[in-house]
Amino acid sequence: MTEITKSAHGAWSSRFTFILAATGSAVGLGNIWKFPYITGENGGGAFVLVYLACVLLIGIPIMIAETMLGRRSQRNPIETMELLTEEAGADKNWHYLGWMGVIAGLLILSYYSVIAGWATAYIAKAFVGSFFDADGTAIKTLFDDFVASPVQMIFWHSLFMAATLLIVVRGVNKGLEKAVQWLMPALFVLMLLLVGYAMTTDSYFQGLHFLFAPDFSKLTSSSVLTAMGHAFFTLSLGMGAIMVYGSYLPKGVSIAQTAFIIAGADTLVALLAGIAIFPIVFANNLHPDTGPGLIFQTLPIAFGNMTGGWIFGILFFVMLSIAALTSSISLIEPAVAWLVENKNVSREKACIWSGLAAWLLGLASIFSFNIWSNVKFFDRTLFQLLDYLTANLMLPIGGFCIAVFAGWIMKQQHSEQELNMPNAQSYQVWVVLTRYVAPLAVFFVFLHVVGVL
Ligand code: TRP
């Protein structure tokens, strides 16, 4: 057995900061921007139900597994996989899992930063009063004009990427922790406020019905794949982000308990976003399947018409940008940690190179909303392709491998020791979910999508 020695890796100052940082990573554009629009595109209730089942049966066990792998090795994902493969006496090819994570992180970051740039741009729009008294049509024109302009989008994308790098460059304790401590509670309060506004529209129940009344006739195999992919995306699973965060987690902290807290908070924010958005959609005769612009075409209507909407609008988009920031730092961290720890690169240089790569690729997503909107592969624009490739394919494949590794390859004695659950039954439940339920679920969804079943 290989001795697991301590590395020169950073560490969280407490369990609470880990929870904050992992929640910061999980809660982001995925919850507030992506969840509502994909729910709208996939018909509502039934999709939401599948998504919730995926979070519970696949997401949480894999989150526990991924955190555990990171904490056991206390290293970056690539080294974690190298070390744990050796410890388990397993095949060297498992190393590639770490690699895929680093690459998936940069691919996601490229378009994530573009959308986060939209959120940041909307702070400015809120500030100058663009939403004031506006109706659905005016808000839609505002959005359409914005995404038609590559120059504006590049500006905000660059600004957001620079902010991400500034935080990441400062390292674990100074950068990551500080950024998340006050954000989560504030974001939560603003979401409640928006739900409050949604309740005053006369489409409140129609919105709730859309979200929570399942109509299974609307469920296709591709929407099941999207729901599953989103469970990975929203919990930041499958590419090593949570592994890296787990590697900074002090020994002795209960991994399972923290996973439940994080997944619970993440799901709550997504549902609140849905509850706030769909009533506004219906009240203004908008369409749920509007696509990636959905929240940018609905929430400003609420801000433009509610008392105090000016300040709430600014606050909301500030929060959304910061929520995106606490996620984007986790997308780049695996690449940075690896460059620093393996390639002897300074943290500054590691940030610049990884950031530059993601920034450049981000331009492709920007152009796919305007000058390249006709460039399509497999019927998808470059933005849609990147999203599909990462969220629907790479993350579930990464998660599948993590589950198989933690459930089958790693010695049970090691996982049991690392998880240190309060009783044998909880550990057994996790083993069953990680060995059988999660990998088989991912496998069958894939089979179904390729049409074998
Ligand atoms: N979970 C984040 C969100 O919902 C996005 C994200 C951050 C992510 N880190 C990740 C997704 C790692 C997948 C993997 O917005």
mmCIF file of all heavy atoms in Angstrom, residues 413-443:
data_model
loop_
_atom_site.group_PDB
_atom_site.id
_atom_site.type_symbol
_atom_site.label_atom_id
_atom_site.label_comp_id
_atom_site.label_asym_id
_atom_site.label_seq_id
_atom_site.Cartn_x
_atom_site.Cartn_y
_atom_site.Cartn_z
ATOM 1 N N GLN A 413 -12.229 -1.148 2.505
ATOM 2 C CA GLN A 413 -11.686 -0.770 3.808
ATOM 3 C C GLN A 413 -11.212 0.696 3.769
ATOM 4 O O GLN A 413 -11.390 1.457 4.731
ATOM 5 C CB GLN A 413 -10.593 -1.799 4.117
ATOM 6 C CG GLN A 413 -9.427 -1.412 4.894
ATOM 7 C CD GLN A 413 -8.234 -2.308 4.408
ATOM 8 O OE1 GLN A 413 -8.346 -3.118 3.481
ATOM 9 N NE2 GLN A 413 -7.093 -2.145 5.038
ATOM 10 N N HIS A 414 -10.702 1.108 2.616
ATOM 11 C CA HIS A 414 -10.248 2.493 2.516
ATOM 12 C C HIS A 414 -11.400 3.486 2.433
ATOM 13 O O HIS A 414 -11.376 4.528 3.075
ATOM 14 C CB HIS A 414 -9.337 2.672 1.284
ATOM 15 C CG HIS A 414 -8.042 1.950 1.410
ATOM 16 N ND1 HIS A 414 -7.274 1.588 0.339
ATOM 17 C CD2 HIS A 414 -7.392 1.495 2.512
ATOM 18 C CE1 HIS A 414 -6.189 0.948 0.763
ATOM 19 N NE2 HIS A 414 -6.244 0.883 2.083
ATOM 20 N N SER A 415 -12.411 3.136 1.623
ATOM 21 C CA SER A 415 -13.521 4.086 1.518
ATOM 22 C C SER A 415 -14.272 4.175 2.843
ATOM 23 O O SER A 415 -14.704 5.245 3.263
ATOM 24 C CB SER A 415 -14.463 3.723 0.367
ATOM 25 O OG SER A 415 -15.007 2.444 0.532
ATOM 26 N N GLU A 416 -14.394 3.034 3.508
ATOM 27 C CA GLU A 416 -15.113 3.039 4.785
ATOM 28 C C GLU A 416 -14.377 3.906 5.816
ATOM 29 O O GLU A 416 -14.971 4.728 6.510
ATOM 30 C CB GLU A 416 -15.257 1.619 5.312
ATOM 31 C CG GLU A 416 -16.236 1.537 6.464
ATOM 32 C CD GLU A 416 -16.697 0.120 6.752
ATOM 33 O OE1 GLU A 416 -16.151 -0.818 6.154
ATOM 34 O OE2 GLU A 416 -17.601 -0.033 7.589
ATOM 35 N N GLN A 417 -13.088 3.750 5.816
ATOM 36 C CA GLN A 417 -12.266 4.526 6.760
ATOM 37 C C GLN A 417 -12.363 6.028 6.427
ATOM 38 O O GLN A 417 -12.576 6.863 7.308
ATOM 39 C CB GLN A 417 -10.825 4.052 6.617
ATOM 40 C CG GLN A 417 -9.826 4.810 7.454
ATOM 41 C CD GLN A 417 -8.406 4.556 6.928
ATOM 42 O OE1 GLN A 417 -8.191 4.084 5.815
ATOM 43 N NE2 GLN A 417 -7.428 4.877 7.751
ATOM 44 N N GLU A 418 -12.287 6.358 5.148
ATOM 45 C CA GLU A 418 -12.286 7.766 4.756
ATOM 46 C C GLU A 418 -13.652 8.408 5.006
ATOM 47 O O GLU A 418 -13.757 9.558 5.415
ATOM 48 C CB GLU A 418 -11.906 7.876 3.275
ATOM 49 C CG GLU A 418 -11.471 9.255 2.837
ATOM 50 C CD GLU A 418 -10.201 9.733 3.530
ATOM 51 O OE1 GLU A 418 -9.243 8.940 3.633
ATOM 52 O OE2 GLU A 418 -10.178 10.899 3.966
ATOM 53 N N LEU A 419 -14.733 7.652 4.737
ATOM 54 C CA LEU A 419 -16.071 8.234 4.904
ATOM 55 C C LEU A 419 -16.462 8.302 6.367
ATOM 56 O O LEU A 419 -17.162 9.229 6.780
ATOM 57 C CB LEU A 419 -17.102 7.428 4.116
ATOM 58 C CG LEU A 419 -17.001 7.568 2.608
ATOM 59 C CD1 LEU A 419 -18.025 6.695 1.920
ATOM 60 C CD2 LEU A 419 -17.209 9.021 2.208
ATOM 61 N N ASN A 420 -16.046 7.299 7.126
ATOM 62 C CA ASN A 420 -16.293 7.297 8.556
ATOM 63 C C ASN A 420 -17.738 7.655 8.907
ATOM 64 O O ASN A 420 -18.010 8.576 9.664
ATOM 65 C CB ASN A 420 -15.313 8.291 9.196
ATOM 66 C CG ASN A 420 -15.250 8.126 10.695
ATOM 67 O OD1 ASN A 420 -15.725 7.113 11.215
ATOM 68 N ND2 ASN A 420 -14.695 9.121 11.384
ATOM 69 N N MET A 421 -18.672 6.903 8.312
ATOM 70 C CA MET A 421 -20.099 7.190 8.524
ATOM 71 C C MET A 421 -20.515 6.806 9.941
ATOM 72 O O MET A 421 -19.885 5.952 10.555
ATOM 73 C CB MET A 421 -20.918 6.387 7.518
ATOM 74 C CG MET A 421 -20.565 6.701 6.090
ATOM 75 S SD MET A 421 -22.020 7.224 5.243
ATOM 76 C CE MET A 421 -21.540 7.185 3.549
ATOM 77 N N PRO A 422 -21.609 7.410 10.423
ATOM 78 C CA PRO A 422 -22.022 7.141 11.805
ATOM 79 C C PRO A 422 -22.415 5.676 12.033
ATOM 80 O O PRO A 422 -22.276 5.164 13.133
ATOM 81 C CB PRO A 422 -23.219 8.066 12.027
ATOM 82 C CG PRO A 422 -23.636 8.507 10.665
ATOM 83 C CD PRO A 422 -22.430 8.447 9.797
ATOM 84 N N ASN A 423 -22.929 4.993 11.001
ATOM 85 C CA ASN A 423 -23.251 3.585 11.214
ATOM 86 C C ASN A 423 -23.058 2.766 9.942
ATOM 87 O O ASN A 423 -22.941 3.319 8.849
ATOM 88 C CB ASN A 423 -24.687 3.433 11.739
ATOM 89 C CG ASN A 423 -25.668 4.140 10.823
ATOM 90 O OD1 ASN A 423 -25.656 3.939 9.608
ATOM 91 N ND2 ASN A 423 -26.496 4.999 11.393
ATOM 92 N N ALA A 424 -23.034 1.452 10.129
ATOM 93 C CA ALA A 424 -22.742 0.557 9.005
ATOM 94 C C ALA A 424 -23.817 0.625 7.931
ATOM 95 O O ALA A 424 -23.522 0.504 6.740
ATOM 96 C CB ALA A 424 -22.588 -0.869 9.507
ATOM 97 N N GLN A 425 -25.084 0.840 8.338
ATOM 98 C CA GLN A 425 -26.155 0.875 7.331
ATOM 99 C C GLN A 425 -25.980 2.024 6.343
ATOM 100 O O GLN A 425 -26.142 1.837 5.144
ATOM 101 C CB GLN A 425 -27.552 1.024 7.971
ATOM 102 C CG GLN A 425 -28.026 -0.180 8.743
ATOM 103 C CD GLN A 425 -27.618 -0.070 10.207
ATOM 104 O OE1 GLN A 425 -26.500 0.305 10.549
ATOM 105 N NE2 GLN A 425 -28.550 -0.408 11.102
ATOM 106 N N SER A 426 -25.664 3.206 6.852
ATOM 107 C CA SER A 426 -25.503 4.339 5.921
ATOM 108 C C SER A 426 -24.391 4.034 4.925
ATOM 109 O O SER A 426 -24.491 4.343 3.736
ATOM 110 C CB SER A 426 -25.158 5.645 6.620
ATOM 111 O OG SER A 426 -25.623 5.664 7.920
ATOM 112 N N TYR A 427 -23.321 3.432 5.425
ATOM 113 C CA TYR A 427 -22.228 3.112 4.521
ATOM 114 C C TYR A 427 -22.706 2.123 3.449
ATOM 115 O O TYR A 427 -22.417 2.282 2.269
ATOM 116 C CB TYR A 427 -21.035 2.547 5.302
ATOM 117 C CG TYR A 427 -19.901 2.129 4.395
ATOM 118 C CD1 TYR A 427 -19.146 3.086 3.721
ATOM 119 C CD2 TYR A 427 -19.605 0.777 4.193
ATOM 120 C CE1 TYR A 427 -18.123 2.711 2.862
ATOM 121 C CE2 TYR A 427 -18.590 0.397 3.333
ATOM 122 C CZ TYR A 427 -17.847 1.372 2.669
ATOM 123 O OH TYR A 427 -16.849 0.990 1.803
ATOM 124 N N GLN A 428 -23.491 1.125 3.882
ATOM 125 C CA GLN A 428 -23.994 0.133 2.921
ATOM 126 C C GLN A 428 -24.885 0.777 1.855
ATOM 127 O O GLN A 428 -24.823 0.428 0.677
ATOM 128 C CB GLN A 428 -24.776 -0.989 3.643
ATOM 129 C CG GLN A 428 -23.881 -2.079 4.227
ATOM 130 C CD GLN A 428 -22.798 -2.554 3.260
ATOM 131 O OE1 GLN A 428 -23.031 -2.713 2.068
ATOM 132 N NE2 GLN A 428 -21.577 -2.752 3.772
ATOM 133 N N VAL A 429 -25.742 1.704 2.285
ATOM 134 C CA VAL A 429 -26.607 2.391 1.317
ATOM 135 C C VAL A 429 -25.738 3.095 0.275
ATOM 136 O O VAL A 429 -25.961 2.998 -0.929
ATOM 137 C CB VAL A 429 -27.527 3.426 2.018
ATOM 138 C CG1 VAL A 429 -28.275 4.269 0.993
ATOM 139 C CG2 VAL A 429 -28.513 2.714 2.939
ATOM 140 N N TRP A 430 -24.718 3.777 0.763
ATOM 141 C CA TRP A 430 -23.830 4.477 -0.171
ATOM 142 C C TRP A 430 -23.160 3.486 -1.120
ATOM 143 O O TRP A 430 -23.066 3.717 -2.325
ATOM 144 C CB TRP A 430 -22.772 5.293 0.595
ATOM 145 C CG TRP A 430 -21.779 5.918 -0.331
ATOM 146 C CD1 TRP A 430 -21.956 7.039 -1.084
ATOM 147 C CD2 TRP A 430 -20.479 5.412 -0.660
ATOM 148 N NE1 TRP A 430 -20.845 7.276 -1.861
ATOM 149 C CE2 TRP A 430 -19.913 6.288 -1.619
ATOM 150 C CE3 TRP A 430 -19.726 4.304 -0.250
ATOM 151 C CZ2 TRP A 430 -18.642 6.096 -2.166
ATOM 152 C CZ3 TRP A 430 -18.452 4.123 -0.787
ATOM 153 C CH2 TRP A 430 -17.922 5.010 -1.735
ATOM 154 N N VAL A 431 -22.708 2.350 -0.583
ATOM 155 C CA VAL A 431 -22.038 1.358 -1.428
ATOM 156 C C VAL A 431 -22.979 0.879 -2.533
ATOM 157 O O VAL A 431 -22.600 0.845 -3.714
ATOM 158 C CB VAL A 431 -21.537 0.157 -0.590
ATOM 159 C CG1 VAL A 431 -21.096 -0.986 -1.501
ATOM 160 C CG2 VAL A 431 -20.384 0.581 0.300
ATOM 161 N N VAL A 432 -24.222 0.567 -2.169
ATOM 162 C CA VAL A 432 -25.165 0.074 -3.174
ATOM 163 C C VAL A 432 -25.425 1.142 -4.239
ATOM 164 O O VAL A 432 -25.393 0.874 -5.449
ATOM 165 C CB VAL A 432 -26.492 -0.363 -2.516
ATOM 166 C CG1 VAL A 432 -27.558 -0.653 -3.564
ATOM 167 C CG2 VAL A 432 -26.261 -1.583 -1.636
ATOM 168 N N LEU A 433 -25.637 2.379 -3.782
ATOM 169 C CA LEU A 433 -25.899 3.452 -4.752
ATOM 170 C C LEU A 433 -24.686 3.681 -5.660
ATOM 171 O O LEU A 433 -24.827 3.882 -6.870
ATOM 172 C CB LEU A 433 -26.256 4.755 -4.026
ATOM 173 C CG LEU A 433 -27.611 4.762 -3.315
ATOM 174 C CD1 LEU A 433 -27.788 6.033 -2.496
ATOM 175 C CD2 LEU A 433 -28.749 4.654 -4.331
ATOM 176 N N THR A 434 -23.519 3.647 -5.094
ATOM 177 C CA THR A 434 -22.319 3.972 -5.868
ATOM 178 C C THR A 434 -21.888 2.819 -6.779
ATOM 179 O O THR A 434 -21.399 3.025 -7.884
ATOM 180 C CB THR A 434 -21.162 4.321 -4.911
ATOM 181 O OG1 THR A 434 -21.666 5.238 -3.959
ATOM 182 C CG2 THR A 434 -20.013 4.961 -5.640
ATOM 183 N N ARG A 435 -22.069 1.576 -6.285
ATOM 184 C CA ARG A 435 -21.661 0.437 -7.103
ATOM 185 C C ARG A 435 -22.667 0.138 -8.202
ATOM 186 O O ARG A 435 -22.291 -0.184 -9.325
ATOM 187 C CB ARG A 435 -21.565 -0.826 -6.244
ATOM 188 C CG ARG A 435 -20.417 -0.830 -5.321
ATOM 189 C CD ARG A 435 -20.254 -2.226 -4.757
ATOM 190 N NE ARG A 435 -18.856 -2.582 -4.880
ATOM 191 C CZ ARG A 435 -18.378 -3.798 -4.657
ATOM 192 N NH1 ARG A 435 -19.193 -4.782 -4.333
ATOM 193 N NH2 ARG A 435 -17.102 -4.032 -4.761
ATOM 194 N N TYR A 436 -23.945 0.178 -7.851
ATOM 195 C CA TYR A 436 -24.954 -0.287 -8.804
ATOM 196 C C TYR A 436 -25.824 0.829 -9.366
ATOM 197 O O TYR A 436 -25.868 1.044 -10.565
ATOM 198 C CB TYR A 436 -25.850 -1.350 -8.147
ATOM 199 C CG TYR A 436 -25.068 -2.496 -7.578
ATOM 200 C CD1 TYR A 436 -24.807 -2.581 -6.214
ATOM 201 C CD2 TYR A 436 -24.556 -3.499 -8.413
ATOM 202 C CE1 TYR A 436 -24.063 -3.631 -5.686
ATOM 203 C CE2 TYR A 436 -23.808 -4.542 -7.899
ATOM 204 C CZ TYR A 436 -23.563 -4.603 -6.524
ATOM 205 O OH TYR A 436 -22.820 -5.636 -6.028
ATOM 206 N N VAL A 437 -26.541 1.510 -8.470
ATOM 207 C CA VAL A 437 -27.584 2.416 -8.938
ATOM 208 C C VAL A 437 -27.041 3.524 -9.844
ATOM 209 O O VAL A 437 -27.471 3.676 -10.991
ATOM 210 C CB VAL A 437 -28.367 3.023 -7.745
ATOM 211 C CG1 VAL A 437 -29.438 3.984 -8.242
ATOM 212 C CG2 VAL A 437 -28.981 1.901 -6.912
ATOM 213 N N ALA A 438 -26.048 4.271 -9.342
ATOM 214 C CA ALA A 438 -25.561 5.414 -10.124
ATOM 215 C C ALA A 438 -24.937 4.991 -11.462
ATOM 216 O O ALA A 438 -25.342 5.490 -12.518
ATOM 217 C CB ALA A 438 -24.597 6.248 -9.290
ATOM 218 N N PRO A 439 -23.992 4.036 -11.473
ATOM 219 C CA PRO A 439 -23.402 3.681 -12.776
ATOM 220 C C PRO A 439 -24.427 3.090 -13.732
ATOM 221 O O PRO A 439 -24.432 3.433 -14.925
ATOM 222 C CB PRO A 439 -22.347 2.625 -12.435
ATOM 223 C CG PRO A 439 -22.167 2.663 -10.972
ATOM 224 C CD PRO A 439 -23.347 3.320 -10.356
ATOM 225 N N LEU A 440 -25.325 2.248 -13.226
ATOM 226 C CA LEU A 440 -26.311 1.641 -14.133
ATOM 227 C C LEU A 440 -27.260 2.693 -14.689
ATOM 228 O O LEU A 440 -27.621 2.658 -15.862
ATOM 229 C CB LEU A 440 -27.104 0.546 -13.408
ATOM 230 C CG LEU A 440 -26.329 -0.762 -13.227
ATOM 231 C CD1 LEU A 440 -27.148 -1.754 -12.418
ATOM 232 C CD2 LEU A 440 -25.963 -1.361 -14.586
ATOM 233 N N ALA A 441 -27.645 3.630 -13.831
ATOM 234 C CA ALA A 441 -28.559 4.681 -14.300
ATOM 235 C C ALA A 441 -27.912 5.464 -15.440
ATOM 236 O O ALA A 441 -28.521 5.676 -16.493
ATOM 237 C CB ALA A 441 -28.927 5.615 -13.153
ATOM 238 N N VAL A 442 -26.665 5.864 -15.254
ATOM 239 C CA VAL A 442 -25.977 6.611 -16.303
ATOM 240 C C VAL A 442 -25.898 5.756 -17.561
ATOM 241 O O VAL A 442 -26.206 6.206 -18.675
ATOM 242 C CB VAL A 442 -24.545 7.016 -15.852
ATOM 243 C CG1 VAL A 442 -23.791 7.691 -16.989
ATOM 244 C CG2 VAL A 442 -24.617 7.940 -14.647
ATOM 245 N N PHE A 443 -25.536 4.502 -17.388
ATOM 246 C CA PHE A 443 -25.390 3.588 -18.517
ATOM 247 C C PHE A 443 -26.693 3.449 -19.306
ATOM 248 O O PHE A 443 -26.721 3.554 -20.530
ATOM 249 C CB PHE A 443 -24.934 2.233 -17.969
ATOM 250 C CG PHE A 443 -24.639 1.228 -19.028
ATOM 251 C CD1 PHE A 443 -23.527 1.365 -19.852
ATOM 252 C CD2 PHE A 443 -25.475 0.130 -19.203
ATOM 253 C CE1 PHE A 443 -23.255 0.420 -20.838
ATOM 254 C CE2 PHE A 443 -25.218 -0.810 -20.192
ATOM 255 C CZ PHE A 443 -24.101 -0.658 -21.008
#
